[in-house]
Amino acid sequence: MIACSVSLRGSLSNSLLHHFPPNITHRSSCKYLHGNVGKFKLARSCGTAIWDALDESPVVQNEGNGKGIDFLYLMEERGIRANVQTYLWLFEGCLNSGSLLDAKKLHAKIFKSGFDWEHVLGSRLIDIYLAHGEIDNAIKVFDDIPSPSFSLWKELISRLLAKKLATQVLALFSRLITENVTPDESTLASVLRACSGGKGSIQFIEQIHGMIIHHGFGSSPLVCNPLIDLYSKNGHVDRAKLVFERLFLRDSISWVAMISGFSQNGREDEAILLFCQMHKSAVVPTPYVFSSVLSACTKIESFKLGEQLHGFIVKWGLSSETFVCNALMTLYSRWGNLIAAEQIFSKMHQRDRISYNSLISGLAQCGFSDRALQLFEEMQLDCMKPDSVTVASLLSACASVGVGHKGKQLHSYAIKTGMSSDLIIEGSLLDLYVKCYDIETAHEFFLTTETENVVLWNVMLVAYGQLGNLSESYRIFLQMQIEGLMPNQYTYPSILRTCTSLGALDLGEQIHTQVIKTGFQFNVYVCSVLIDMYAKLGELDTAWGILKRLREEDVVSWTAMIAGYTQHDFFTEALKLFQEMEDQGIRSDNIGFSSAISACAGIQALNQGQQIHAQSYVSGYSEDLSIGNALVSLYARCGRVQDAYLAFEKIDAKDNISWNALISGFAQSGHCEEALQVFSQMNQARVEANLFTFASAVSATANMANIKQGKQIHAMVIKNGYDSEIEASNVLITLYSKCGSIEDARREFFEMPEKSVVSWNAMITGYSQHGYGSEAVSLFEDMKRLCLRPNHVTFVGVLSACSHVGLVNEGLSYFNSMSKEHGLVPKPEHYVCVVDLLGRAGLLQHAREFIEEMPIEPDAMIWRTLLSACTVRKNIEIGEFAARHLLELEPEDSATYVLLSNIYAVSGKWDYRDRTRQRMKERGVKKEPGRSWIEVKNSIHAFFVGDRLHPLAEQIYNHLDDLNKQATEIGYVKERYNLLNDVEQGEKDPTAYIHSEKLAITFGLLSLSNTMPVRVIKNLRVCNDCHNWIKFVSKISNRAIVVRDAYRFHHFEGGVCSCKDYW
């Protein structure tokens, strides 16, 4: 540190010297550092430049011819004393001849003659020493001159700057200030130019700025232009802007410096606006201006504007300037317009290395590795030596298309040319081997590199992450810290992404702790990856907490949170957050738009989804694949079949996600036949189906109870190797359960090597639907013994099972355990299960009290469940109570009127029944007719009550009569059809009241092989009479009959039903 007690002129404080680079080696400066300023006296013992000049150097570049020295000796012999002019003439000869040795001899003569104090001779001697690179001697000569004039200070500073000796310039300027010499604006400009390249600290630059203002140069372009440039390069663009605005007369260099400053500091929009202002000011643009503005356009991908600037460039006659052409090639390359980039390159009169690098880099980024390598050869033929940027771009091209052999050739070239140890090359080579999946070579190369390069460690973290090798990735993460390398803002995301993809939440939380300890908790990039991890792994509250604490508005972080909400079915929250993001002025990216549209699909918010799609279109994402796929899903899940097909067809580059969106959307909206048709088309188009595809197709067959096609898809699952996947087994369990084949579902479940909570839920629900309540409860207890955490779906299955078999106390106990033991808040569907449990058991008053004491508002399903139970139990009072609440919530629902009408009918209150039906007609509410389906020989046959439209109707009714007679003979007694009064029953044909399930079963017995079970689906609850009739028919026909009604499955065999007459 320089210590000085001399007061500086003007506003420059003593702290100037504190911030000055202290690397000064010559002896006079050392003397100066010890406080001997102005006390220097000529003395031989000082070892000054005089004695250095008299030393005989063994290596001399030019011995000279000695004519000048000989002439000087001749003058002395004749008694003529040389004067200053003589020595000036002799020095001129030394400069012309290039003889350093003669100059040193003349230096010695000057000293002996007493002329060493002459400024003009010292200046010329300094010129000679600087010309020969003798920097120390030049400065020593300056040190020996007593009271050098300002012009000599200025000239030496100028000469040192011309030689790019920035450190010496700054040291000399520091001495100038200390010796109270007032600098002029050209000297200050020279010093500022010396500060570029990081030679001067920002504090030193600020001190110089203070001197500029103090001496009245604050509006001089000569000093302000380099000041603008320095502030910009040090990241203080606002200060640069202030200096620029205070300039009264701005030259082209001023505009270039400010425009370039904005562009280099991420303020590209301001750079473009300033260029427009410059254009309006009629300032003639320079090539450097266009280069800076084009760079700004490239960074913000404002390619159209860049294209317009190209027109200006041609107009101003600057299209052949190398700087401008390089910037244009970069612009067009990033735009993907390589034809335009190549045209510019081919028309260039003079190409430099940057020209080749710009085009090679563009070709590499667009995947044209062959053309990039060809250009590399042309570059060498053009006598242009490739640098590390060239080779790195080529390696990137090879990595992007996976041509490892060409990359290895470039590796050999880098070794031959000595570039293999370059940091950029090392990173590119490692990236090449990683992307070509040559992990062994990558690891071997990594071990040969300088391990201090944190970038290489980060690449290895990504490499093992891509292989799913979390343990090795984490080992590298720990090893780099053991070797003293601190993780940076790219290290943490590299390993956190691996934790995300492998679901390693515990390790991710540990790394999050280290993120906080090392001070990266507010880094936008790190936070965005943390939010993504927590959101994808279901820790949405933690993710939201990180987003709220973010100090910057980062669209990636917001869209990661929106995507997380959507992924976990929090669709309303996702859309609220999307709206909040827009309200804060954050422009969404394609991920945000696609996630928001997917959220709309999740809640069937068609209008809102269409509005968001319109926004995405205006924002320039009309061709985005992810948004197109989300739109297909929106229309399909909303049941808009034609719109979904239209959106699908508009996607040019369809992937399997596009097909999956259509299949799963149709399956979820109940258009299962369309879903299976699309699945068939996908196979015909030879598009590779994935696990999600098969799961969606299986779900469609399950919803249709199409077990035959379901088994065909099951075979495809096995063929494609997905049979060991947990998700595949889960949907297959659901398939067989919904198709009535509980044995196949049970087999699939117990053969699973690993089971998830979803697997247990599927089997418990399957047991429940088939009336195997005890088995469902037993499986739930097994689940708890294995320490698996049940969720809301689990309890729906368990409570339904208890309801179907009348386990009232057990069901109530399980319901209470949800909150007490498992920390789950019951949802409306759980309250429905409890009401159904109590209602089926005949505890209708208890059910009513339970509803009245609920902590949530009862919904329509709860009241409908109670009303249905009242119909079965013929409880008019509570039934009317439930119906009133239900009609308030859903006045247009036909089921309410039907159930209430049935209560009155079974109770013999025909007037009340008639009034209910009349009210139903007045409100235009239509009852859903009972309907049953059965599949025979790959065709679905549907039947209505009293249906006579079937081609085999006569045979069906004849066989039905036979079945009725046989059933009656072994004890079947037909229940009186008590929904009609006596008059109504007498007026109509009795066959008009035969329920659809009887007709479907009779048709099945006629048409199916004796070895095949009869499987029937009904859209309403099977009535008591039909249930009793089917039991007898299963006995007399010796056939298994499976009926799936609106509530559950009934397995009839040998005169017994699996529901044990409790449904």
Side-chain angles (χ1 to χ4, degrees), residues 900-910 913 978-980:
L900 188 59
S901 171
N902 290 349
I903 289 180
Y904 293 135
V906 298
S907 303
K909 295 182 177 289
W910 306 110
R913 184 207 67 171
N978 49 20
L979 296 183
L980 299 176

Side-chain angles (χ1 to χ4, degrees), residues 124-181:
R124 185 52 88 191
L125 191 55
I126 288 169
D127 285 343
I128 294 172
Y129 282 135
L130 287 176
H132 288 84
E134 297 276 335
I135 309 303
D136 289 342
N137 280 338
I139 295 177
K140 288 171 186 177
V141 170
F142 181 79
D143 290 343
D144 290 343
I145 297 174
S147 302
S149 64
F150 172 70
S151 61
L152 193 56
W153 285 93
K154 181 177 177 180
E155 186 175 358
L156 182 56
I157 287 173
S158 178
R159 295 297 176 86
L160 290 172
L161 183 63
K163 290 287 184 179
K164 299 182 180 179
L165 302 171
T167 302
Q168 286 83 349
V169 169
L170 299 180
L172 197 62
F173 177 72
S174 183
R175 286 179 55 194
L176 180 145
I177 298 301
T178 306
E179 296 185 17
N180 294 326
V181 179

Side-chain angles (χ1 to χ4, degrees), residues 538-840:
E539 296 295 324
L540 296 169
D541 290 339
T542 307
W544 172 240
I546 297 170
L547 181 65
K548 285 196 299 184
R549 289 191 293 272
L550 262 184
R551 296 173 179 174
E552 298 180 42
E553 294 178 344
D554 176 52
V555 65
V556 177
S557 301
W558 281 81
T559 54
M561 190 73 242
I562 293 167
Y565 278 136
T566 303
Q567 179 185 340
H568 293 281
D569 296 344
F570 290 93
F571 304 121
T572 304
E573 289 80 356
L575 292 171
K576 285 181 180 177
L577 192 62
F578 180 80
Q579 186 61 52
E580 184 179 343
M581 179 179 74
E582 287 198 317
D583 291 342
Q584 293 192 20
I586 303 172
R587 292 177 58 187
S588 179
D589 58 10
N590 59 329
I591 303 299
F593 283 123
S594 62
S595 298
I597 294 171
S598 297
C600 292
I603 57 174
Q604 285 80 55
L606 180 61
N607 291 337
Q608 188 175 1
Q610 289 173 324
Q611 290 172 11
I612 295 172
H613 178 228
Q615 288 179 253
S616 71
Y617 194 94
V618 172
S619 299
Y621 294 111
S622 58
E623 304 297 325
D624 185 80
L625 179 60
S626 63
I627 294 175
N629 291 340
L631 192 65
V632 171
S633 179
L634 171 70
Y635 286 127
R637 293 182 72 174
C638 290
R640 300 286 288 269
V641 176
Q642 294 305 317
D643 289 330
Y645 278 126
L646 185 61
F648 179 75
E649 291 302 324
K650 284 183 177 179
I651 299 174
D652 293 326
K654 300 178 184 68
D655 57 7
N656 57 5
I657 297 175
S658 312
W659 290 89
N660 289 346
L662 207 55
I663 296 168
S664 65
F666 284 151
Q668 291 175 46
S669 63
H671 294 82
C672 299
E673 291 183 10
E674 283 81 2
L676 293 173
Q677 286 174 7
V678 174
F679 176 71
S680 178
Q681 292 169 11
M682 182 179 180
N683 289 326
Q684 291 172 6
R686 299 188 181 278
V687 178
E688 185 178 356
N690 58 19
L691 180 59
F692 186 81
T693 316
F694 289 119
S696 300
V698 169
S699 296
T701 59
N703 293 337
M704 294 174 64
N706 189 339
I707 192 169
K708 184 176 181 179
Q709 193 164 2
K711 285 187 174 183
Q712 291 173 357
I713 298 173
H714 187 175
M716 295 175 68
V717 168
I718 295 171
K719 183 180 178 181
N720 285 272
Y722 290 116
D723 53 313
S724 60
E725 296 287 342
I726 294 176
E727 291 81 3
S729 294
N730 293 344
V731 294
L732 287 168
I733 292 168
T734 303
L735 165 72
Y736 291 123
S737 297
K738 286 187 173 182
C739 291
S741 184
I742 193 66
E743 287 301 323
D744 286 329
R746 183 189 287 119
R747 186 183 304 109
E748 186 70 31
F749 176 78
F750 285 107
E751 288 180 357
M752 290 178 69
E754 291 182 35
K755 301 176 182 69
S756 66
V757 173
V758 177
S759 314
W760 291 84
N761 290 349
M763 196 65 240
I764 290 170
T765 302
Y767 275 142
S768 172
Q769 290 173 341
H770 286 266
Y772 296 106
S774 301
E775 289 83 349
V777 171
S778 175
L779 200 62
F780 175 64
E781 293 297 333
D782 291 341
M783 182 180 177
K784 290 198 295 182
R785 278 192 291 273
L786 292 172
C787 298
L788 288 171
R789 185 180 177 184
N791 57 23
H792 288 91
V793 178
T794 316
F795 278 100
V796 169
V798 172
L799 293 172
S800 296
C802 293
S803 175
H804 287 151
V805 293
L807 298 174
V808 178
N809 293 331
E810 291 85 345
L812 292 174
S813 175
Y814 285 134
F815 177 78
N816 292 328
S817 72
M818 285 185 66
S819 55
K820 292 180 180 178
E821 297 179 19
H822 303 287
L824 297 172
V825 178
K827 294 184 177 182
E829 53 263 35
H830 301 104
Y831 289 101
V832 169
C833 290
V834 174
V835 172
D836 186 56
L837 173 74
L838 297 170
R840 285 174 186 269

Side-chain angles (χ1 to χ4, degrees), residues 114-125:
F115 288 119
D116 53 305
W117 50 269
E118 288 287 347
H119 289 191
V120 66
L121 293 178
S123 175
R124 185 52 88 191
L125 191 55

Side-chain angles (χ1 to χ4, degrees), residues 250-266:
R250 300 166 184 156
D251 57 17
S252 61
I253 298 173
S254 313
W255 292 93
V256 170
M258 194 66 252
I259 291 170
S260 176
F262 280 137
S263 180
Q264 292 169 2
N265 285 275

